[in-house]
Structures are given as C-alpha cells and as structure tokens.
Amino acid sequence: MANKKLKKDLKKQPTPIKRLFAGAKARKSSLIWGALKLAFIAVVWIIFIGIMVTIYYVHDLPDINVIAHQDHKPQITIRSSDGTVLAKYGDLKGNTLTYSQLPTHLVQAIITAEDRRFFDHPGIDIFGIIRAYYVNIRAGKVVQGGSTVTQQLAKIIYLSPERTFKRKVQEMFIAIQLERNFSKEQIMSMYVNRVYLGKGNYGVDAAAKFYFGKDATEMDAFECAVIAAMLKAPSKYAPSNNLKLAVERARYILSEMEEQGYITREEMRTALPPSILERGTARGALKNPYFSDYVLSLIPELLENPNQDLNIFTTLDLSAQTALETAADKIMTEKAEKYKASQVAALAMEPNGAIKAMIGGRAYDSSQYNRAVVAKRQPGSAFKFFVFTAALENGANIEDVYEDKPVTYSQGKGLPLWKPKNFKNEFLGSMTLFDAFTQSINTITVQLSEKIGRTKTILLAQKLGVQSPLQNLPSIALGASEVSLLEMTQAMAHIAHDGVKVNAFAILQIRNANNEIIYEHADLPNDVVLEHHVVQDMKSMLLNVVENGTGRAAKLAGRSAYGKTGTSQDHRDAWFIGATDDIVTGVWVGNDDNTPMNRTVGGNMPAWIWKDFVEKAGEIKRTYIPQETLPWKEDDIFDALFGHSETTDERS
C-alpha cells in the first residue's frame, strides 16, 4: 500500500518537461499583462498629452462668432499748412460686397490662383498640402503654399502674421470652425472684403477703385486676374509697384482659368491688360513721401492716444518741395555718374525751424530710408561751424592770428599719433581765423579746438540741437563724429534766427475725426542761445565762405547767401549747409555703402543743388496755423485720391 501511494504521489508531481512548459506559459502570460499595462499607460499619456497640446493651441483662440466687427488701422491724413493732402496712411476700404455682387471671373481667378478645391474641402486641403510639399521639394525652395482660402481668412481675421507652428495649427482649427459656421459663399465674401491688396487697400472694392478707378463689380476678366495675382504677395505683384510682373502673373492665371474651363481660349486671347492709375505710395500730393513718413514717426511723441483717425496739418510748402526735388534730380542726373555719387538728401526749413521741404533719398520707390533724418554720416569740415562758434563764445576774435603748420596730437593710449593735413596737403603759414574759416584750414581748426577745449565744442553742438554722440578726440574738430543732416541744418538755423533757440518742427496742428484740435505747435520762448556778436561774426565768416571761399558755387546773384562746405575723408560724404534771410537748407551727397566718390566735395554737387533750389524756390511761404473752421471731410480725401489721376494705358 505504501508503495502504491508513493507511485501515485510521484505521478502527480510534474515532470521536468512539464515544469518547463508551465513556467514558460506563466512568463508569457506575465509579459502579455505587462505589455497591456504599458500600452494602457501609454495610451493614457498620449491622450493626456494630446489634451494638453490641444488646450495649449486652442485656449487662446478667438470666439468664432465674433466676426461681424471689422477693425481697421487708423486713417491718418497729412496735409500742408493750407490743407492740401500730402499723404494718406492707414486702411483704405471700399464697399462691402456680398457673394452675389462679386464678378464671376473674380471668384474663378481666386480659386485658380489660391485654392482650386475650395468648394470641396472642409477648410483644410490635405491634397493641396501634399501637392505643395512635392512641388517645393522638387524646386528646392518654397514656391507653393498649402493654405486654403479659409485658412487665409482665419489668419486675416484672427491671427498675427508670425510664422510659427502654433499659429499654423491654430489657423487650421479656426478654418474648420469657419467651415462649420459659414457657407462657402459667405467665406469667400468675407475673404475678398478683408484681404490686403497693397498700398493700404483692404478688400477688392478699395483695390479696384485704387488701381483701376472703378467699382469691383465692374472689373473685367483681366482686372480680376490682376487682383488674384496680388494675393500671393501684394507688395511684389501690385501693378503700381511692378506693372510688368503683375501683368505676367495675371496672364498666367488667365491661362490656368482657360485650362480649368472658366474662360474660353478666345476670351483669354483677347483679354487686354487694364489701365493702371498712377498713384503715389502714400496716396497724396507727395511724389516722394519721406516727409510724411517723418511726420508719422513723430505722432507717438505728441499724443497719448495715437491709435485714432487723425488729420495732421504740417509746415511743408509744396512749391518748395517741388523745387528741392527738381534741383536734386537735375544735378544728380547730370553729375552723379561722373562723380560716382548714388544718393542725395536735402532739408529746407525756415529760420524758426519749420521744415518746408525734405528729400530723404533719390527715389522713394527704390528706397524708403530717410537719409535726411535717420542717416548719420561724418560732416567733415561742415563741423568747423561748431568749433569756431564755440571759440567766439569763449573769447576768440575773428582777427586772431594762427599759423597753418604741421601739428601732431595724441589720440589716447594705444592709438597712433594724429597729424591732421589740409585738403591740398600744403601749409600756408600765418593767417587770421576769418581767413582760416574761409579757406577751411584743418590745422588751425584743430589748434583752435584744442586751445578752447573739445568739451566746449561738444557742449555748443549739443546746445544747437545735436543729439548724436560726439567723440571727445582731437579729430572731432574735423567732423569725425557722425551726425544727421537734420541736426546740421537745425544748428545753422540759429544764425539765421539771430541766435534764438531753434527746434526743427514739422507738425502745426493735429485734429481728430470730429475736427477737434488735440495738438497744436507752440513756438519756443525767445531764448537767446548765441550772443549777438557771436552771430554777427559767424555770419560774416559764413558769408565770406560763399563769396570767396570753398562755397563759391553756391553764390547767388543779387542775394546774400552764407554757408559752410564739408567733405569727409576719401570723399565719402559731401555737404553744404547754407542760408538766406528766409530759408536754411542742408544738402548731403554720398553713397549708402560708404564707398568713396570721385572728387566730390561740398563745394560742387551739394552746393550746386543748394543754389538751384534757392533760385527756383523764390520766396518761401511763411508757416501759419490753419483756422479752426477749416473743413475736413472724407469726400475731399477721396477726391484727391480718385478724382485727378493720370493713367498708363497698355491698350494703346
């Protein structure tokens, strides 16, 4: 019995093979359960992260229902003192059009150019994204976008123009919501009424009025194609910027419309380019609106709330502006190639600082950089004006005798010794300060600056309005520190203003949309900053510069003129700052890349421009504040914009 029981017990015990399989089965089961647990945890985390990412992208999305209100940038109208519209900035909007009012060719052109599956996709076009990706990979650069019209509308209404992944994701979210809340026709209508089409125009109706002089409802197929062409890059394809490029892209869109069956081959073949109205960049009387850009930059300093519609009366005199542009264009056209000078800047003001004319560059369309205000360049010998004025303030006399001779100065530890030379590399011996200034003698100017102390010259320049940093080195006497043309012209105005403090100004008055005066220029108190004898002595020396010195090219027939020439090292900058009894004018000529010119000096090109301007300008109108009752209606702005424009017609 015992043996039978033992055998029975042994049979119940698993064999080694059975034990092996049993262990493997248990481990497999444990691994499966472990994997399922990990998968469950991973899914939970993925869902959690997805929720967090979604919250991150959508928490600050705008309310899709708040779409009716169409914000606009402030409309700012800049006028001359007599009310003439010089420039207009901000949004220019036309009529809001319903879908049924849109020309059929316009919708077809937009769909062809921007979103061919517009009526089929749910706001995002996956096929379009794949197609754009493939085209861009083949081209090796971004040549095609994948955004739908709905996505573009989302960006226009709700989002900033920044290029970030978050903004792109938000754009997609909003596009889907727009498709759920609005019909395709409503989306297209909202898009064409809000899209930016260059030159401050928002919406197709404003653009049609601006470029073609007609309502959007009256546009033909080619005009519709021109509008659609601008959607890709308004600044690049605006017909007023590059008519040839705009027409080329419009023709391409028309050919694609023919391929899509929207127009016939005959319609495409006979379509004629539109007449494009010639508009100024800032939509006003200024051909080169450097001055109006400058006025615009001053507004935040004058108003607590600049974000409103404004009507700004300025000091500018259109006849003076025209004379200055004509003079600069004439000399640059005739002499620029010979003297290897590519740029010019000029500024004219009344003795009290009222700016009457401004040129910031040779052509605004080519460069909006304002060289009259923003650019800082070495004034060369024109800076001697400050040295001699400071010396007269500190006891020097114009009959004091100095010797024109070789001199050497230390520029500080680690810097080489400085040995200033004269323009002609010669030394003329003893002479009075009067003659030294007339002949622009460098060595005597530096001796004078060192004798009175460079700090006095710096303080004098600052007193006369120079805010640019001035280096306290011996070379400051010869204009080594960079300053602006505005600073130099304003400083010279103190002589014309009999030593009374001058601050250049451009704005007379600002009114809001209700025609209420919210800012008015106040004349400075008659603070004398230069004593009478200093003014008289400086004026006599400046007069002699024009009569017998380096500024002889600026001499006027029958009128007194005074001024100072300036030429920086290697002929990189040439200046003439001069004045008559009623106008103070500064002129700079040079190259933006600071390359040397060909023997250009302050006494030739700048002086020629100065003289030509002063002779053409005649008597400058004095600035005045407009009467409070001067009307301001939107109608006269649109008359100025659309009523009297010449056209360029490619049909002829």
Side-chain angles (χ1 to χ4, degrees):
M1 290 292 294
N3 289 334
K4 286 182 178 181
K5 185 177 180 182
L6 179 60
K7 288 180 179 180
K8 189 176 181 180
D9 290 340
L10 288 172
K11 286 181 179 181
K12 289 181 180 179
Q13 292 180 4
T15 63
I17 294 176
K18 287 183 177 180
R19 284 198 299 269
L20 180 64
F21 278 105
K25 186 176 181 180
R27 284 193 297 273
K28 182 178 180 181
S29 176
S30 176
L31 287 171
I32 291 172
W33 277 107
L36 288 174
K37 287 179 181 179
L38 288 174
F40 176 76
I41 293 171
V43 168
V44 170
W45 273 106
I46 289 171
I47 293 173
F48 176 75
I49 292 171
I51 292 172
M52 291 297 100
V53 169
T54 302
I55 291 173
Y56 170 73
Y57 284 121
V58 305
H59 81 281
D60 56 350
L61 286 180
D63 183 357
I64 195 69
N65 295 312
V66 184
I67 194 172
H69 181 66
Q70 191 170 341
D71 292 332
H72 74 282
K73 297 176 184 177
Q75 292 187 6
I76 299 175
T77 303
I78 298 175
R79 300 174 181 264
S80 64
S81 58
D82 64 2
T84 302
V85 176
L86 300 175
K88 184 172 171 23
Y89 296 84
D91 297 355
L92 177 62
K93 296 183 182 297
N95 297 321
T96 299
L97 304 177
T98 63
Y99 183 82
S100 62
Q101 293 175 303
L102 299 177
T104 302
H105 286 320
L106 177 64
V107 176
Q108 293 168 343
I110 292 173
I111 290 173
T112 300
E114 296 295 311
D115 189 357
R116 297 192 179 187
R117 299 185 65 252
F118 173 72
F119 285 103
D120 300 319
H121 62 65
I124 302 171
D125 186 4
I126 301 300
F127 295 105
I129 294 173
I130 295 172
R131 182 184 66 252
Y133 177 77
Y134 175 73
V135 170
N136 294 338
I137 289 295
R138 288 193 62 184
K141 60 181 179 179
V142 178
V143 296
Q144 192 176 106
S147 293
T148 65
V149 164
T150 315
Q151 286 177 263
Q152 293 179 45
L153 176 62
K155 180 171 65 176
I156 291 169
I157 299 175
Y158 298 113
L159 300 172
S160 68
E162 62 179 345
R163 292 176 176 268
T164 63
F165 183 72
K166 178 183 178 181
R167 200 229 62 185
K168 195 67 179 177
V169 172
Q170 289 183 324
E171 181 184 292
M172 292 180 178
F173 273 115
I174 295 175
I176 293 171
Q177 291 185 62
L178 286 171
E179 293 278 351
R180 288 177 178 173
N181 285 270
F182 300 98
S183 68
K184 289 288 186 179
E185 290 77 12
Q186 288 175 313
I187 289 172
M188 179 61 73
S189 177
M190 288 187 286
Y191 175 69
V192 299
N193 284 311
R194 287 166 166 81
V195 68
Y196 179 66
L197 293 167
K199 303 295 185 181
N201 296 287
Y202 287 80
V204 295
D205 196 57
K209 286 183 171 71
F210 185 81
Y211 295 114
F212 313 131
K214 61 174 66 173
D215 293 336
T217 55
E218 301 172 355
M219 291 191 299
D220 60 26
F222 211 124
E223 290 166 340
C224 290
V226 170
I227 294 294
M230 282 189 281
L231 298 174
K232 183 177 182 179
S235 61
K236 181 178 181 180
Y237 292 104
S240 53
N241 283 350
N242 192 327
L243 181 59
K244 181 181 177 181
L245 194 62
V247 169
E248 285 177 357
R249 177 153 174 78
R251 287 191 189 280
Y252 168 75
I253 292 172
L254 287 171
S255 67
E256 293 294 299
M257 289 172 65
E258 187 267 331
E259 187 177 301
Q260 296 292 313
Y262 292 133
I263 59 175
T264 66
R265 182 172 294 275
E266 180 64 17
E267 286 176 315
M268 186 192 73
R269 188 183 67 80
T270 58
L272 295 173
S275 298
I276 304 300
L277 298 178
E278 294 183 348
R279 307 288 192 191
T281 302
R283 306 192 298 268
L286 287 180
K287 178 183 176 183
N288 296 293
Y290 293 104
F291 174 79
S292 56
D293 284 357
Y294 171 63
V295 168
L296 207 64
S297 71
L298 300 175
I299 297 173
E301 302 175 10
L302 304 179
L303 300 179
E304 291 184 2
N305 176 26
N307 191 31
Q308 57 179 309
D309 292 350
L310 299 172
N311 199 33
I312 303 174
F313 293 88
T314 70
T315 57
L316 189 123
D317 180 337
L318 264 179
S319 61
Q321 179 68 27
T322 301
L324 189 58
E325 290 184 355
T326 302
D329 185 63
K330 175 178 179 290
I331 301 303
M332 292 299 289
T333 300
E334 294 175 355
K335 305 294 185 181
E337 185 176 355
K338 175 183 176 181
Y339 287 94
K340 291 183 170 54
S342 61
Q343 276 298 348
V344 61
L347 185 73
M349 64 176 65
E350 289 182 36
N352 69 348
I355 298 174
K356 309 305 292 183
M358 178 185 288
I359 296 176
R362 193 168 181 182
Y364 186 89
D365 286 343
S366 301
S367 171
Q368 290 79 54
Y369 182 61
N370 194 332
R371 297 158 188 83
V373 176
V374 181
K376 303 290 180 70
R377 304 295 289 255
Q378 291 184 345
S381 291
F383 197 85
K384 292 173 183 175
F385 166 77
F386 298 110
V387 177
F388 278 74
T389 304
L392 292 174
E393 273 199 326
N394 288 275
N397 188 289
I398 60 175
E399 297 301 326
D400 289 345
V401 176
Y402 280 70
E403 186 177 356
D404 178 18
K405 62 181 180 181
V407 288
T408 302
Y409 294 96
S410 170
Q411 300 189 89
K413 188 176 180 180
L415 295 174
L417 294 175
W418 182 54
K419 300 178 180 180
K421 297 179 180 179
N422 292 320
F423 185 74
K424 295 182 179 180
N425 286 321
E426 60 183 8
F427 301 100
L428 303 179
S430 298
M431 65 176 64
T432 63
L433 290 181
F434 186 88
D435 291 333
F437 189 80
T438 300
Q439 298 179 53
S440 198
I441 302 299
N442 289 339
T443 61
I444 291 179
T445 303
V446 178
Q447 292 178 58
L448 188 62
S449 173
E450 293 299 300
K451 181 177 180 180
I452 65 171
R454 297 189 293 269
T455 301
K456 288 185 171 63
T457 298
I458 292 172
L459 292 175
L460 184 279
Q462 292 170 343
K463 184 169 68 171
L464 301 189
V466 175
Q467 297 179 350
S468 299
L470 302 174
Q471 290 184 309
N472 194 340
L473 294 172
S475 57
I476 190 177
L478 304 184
S481 292
E482 296 178 338
V483 293
S484 73
L485 181 62
L486 176 61
E487 289 173 325
M488 293 298 294
T489 309
Q490 176 181 264
M492 181 66 73
H494 287 81
I495 302 300
H497 207 216
D498 296 325
V500 175
K501 179 63 180 174
V502 176
N503 278 345
F505 66 100
I507 297 176
L508 292 173
Q509 195 179 87
I510 302 177
R511 305 184 186 195
N512 60 20
N514 297 320
N515 204 28
E516 298 168 337
I517 297 173
I518 55 178
Y519 168 81
E520 194 159 29
H521 172 76
D523 289 333
L524 292 173
N526 290 328
D527 291 338
V528 176
V529 294
L530 294 178
E531 294 182 21
H532 181 70
H533 79 275
V534 173
V535 172
Q536 292 303 112
D537 284 347
M538 278 308 305
K539 196 169 186 177
S540 68
M541 288 194 289
L542 291 164
L543 279 164
N544 203 45
V545 168
V546 174
E547 291 292 325
N548 304 300
T550 57
R552 289 189 299 275
K555 187 175 181 179
L556 302 173
R559 296 176 65 186
S560 295
Y562 50 94
K564 184 70 187 78
T565 58
T567 308
S568 67
Q569 192 171 16
D570 297 326
H571 303 275
R572 298 176 190 275
D573 305 278
W575 305 65
F576 184 78
I577 316 295
T580 63
D581 290 337
D582 59 353
I583 195 75
V584 183
T585 307
V587 181
W588 167 88
V589 173
N591 296 311
D592 283 341
D593 60 5
N594 206 32
T595 53
M597 295 177 285
N598 181 27
R599 306 295 294 177
T600 306
V601 295
N604 51 40
M605 288 187 72
W608 295 334
I609 293 171
W610 186 94
K611 178 181 180 180
D612 201 57
F613 161 66
V614 174
E615 289 180 340
K616 282 184 170 67
E619 185 177 346
I620 303 297
K621 296 176 183 177
R622 290 288 175 174
T623 299
Y624 66 93
I625 300 291
Q627 296 178 1
E628 189 170 341
T629 56
L630 189 65
W632 173 34
K633 306 188 302 297
E634 195 65 24
D635 291 346
D636 67 342
I637 296 173
F638 276 81
D639 286 344
L641 298 181
F642 305 125
H644 307 286
S645 295
E646 298 178 358
T647 61
T648 300
D649 195 342
E650 279 203 359
R651 294 187 174 95
S652 57

